[in-house]
Amino acid sequence: MTHMAKIETKALRSAFVDAMSRVASTVHIVTTDGPSGRVGATVSAMTSVSADTPMPTLLVCLNRAGQLGRQIQDSGVFCVNVLSSDQSALADAFAGRWGQSQAERFSSADWVEMVNGAPGVQGAVARLACRVCMTEGVGTHDVIFGAVEEVDLADGSSALVYADRSYGQAVAV
């Protein structure tokens, strides 16, 4: 029975990963700057939590195997950069697809300093500067809740979307 449960669990995990790959998501680079320097990663797991709190709140899910979550918790601040449809190469760089160091990744774009000191991507559709208000561990990830302190919006840009393991952009129907 134990062997069968492991097979079912492995199959369920695989089916879950395939199902999640079909969920369209905007693409984000989450960044922070603290005692250890600038760190960033490409993230699709970001969502609004509430606009009706003293400060609007969002969340990001970060794998504990990476350094970004620890650095965000150390600095207490981060920026969610919603990428534009022409920034897929930047998304790949911050996803680690080319093996670049953090310094090399940051040198591949222009940056603005947000009100909380976190780096914001120039040309992003939106930049949301956040202060950590809560963290919750779930499985291999940390869910980091951020109180939004600043929002910068770009005009006329379309967000980069990721679905079915490829990039695209939203199109009005």
Side-chain angles (χ1 to χ4, degrees):
M1 192 70 165
T2 303
H3 179 67
M4 183 64 141
K6 287 182 182 177
I7 291 171
E8 289 174 8
T9 301
K10 190 174 183 179
L12 179 60
R13 182 196 183 284
S14 179
F16 176 77
V17 169
D18 284 344
M20 291 297 99
S21 77
R22 297 175 186 188
V23 176
S25 173
T26 51
V27 182
H28 320 89
I29 293 177
V30 176
T31 59
T32 193
D33 192 357
S36 300
R38 287 180 164 186
V39 179
T42 300
V43 174
S44 59
M46 186 285 295
T47 193
S48 166
V49 174
S50 178
D52 298 318
T53 49
M55 295 179 82
T57 307
L58 58 76
L59 67 79
V60 295
C61 298
L62 303 172
N63 193 314
R64 278 191 215 107
Q67 61 182 337
L68 181 58
R70 288 186 304 278
Q71 298 256 11
I72 287 174
Q73 291 178 55
D74 288 346
S75 70
V77 298
F78 61 99
C79 182
V80 175
N81 298 279
V82 183
L83 298 184
S84 70
S85 59
D86 63 352
Q87 293 179 313
S88 60
L90 191 59
D92 284 342
F94 276 84
R97 291 200 172 121
W98 301 328
Q100 296 172 306
S101 69
Q102 286 289 331
E104 291 169 322
R105 294 174 192 183
F106 276 94
S107 70
S108 63
D110 293 323
W111 300 88
V112 297
E113 185 174 321
M114 303 299 288
V115 70
N116 63 3
V121 176
Q122 195 74 274
V125 171
R127 295 185 296 259
L128 300 106
C130 302
R131 185 158 306 281
V132 175
C133 57
M134 187 174 129
T135 302
E136 181 70 34
V138 179
T140 57
H141 285 64
D142 285 324
V143 181
I144 300 175
F145 294 84
V148 178
E149 299 179 309
E150 177 184 18
V151 176
D152 287 342
L153 300 172
D155 292 329
S157 297
S158 179
L160 182 63
V161 175
Y162 193 74
D164 292 326
R165 296 184 173 97
S166 63
Y167 295 114
Q169 68 183 47
V171 178
V173 291

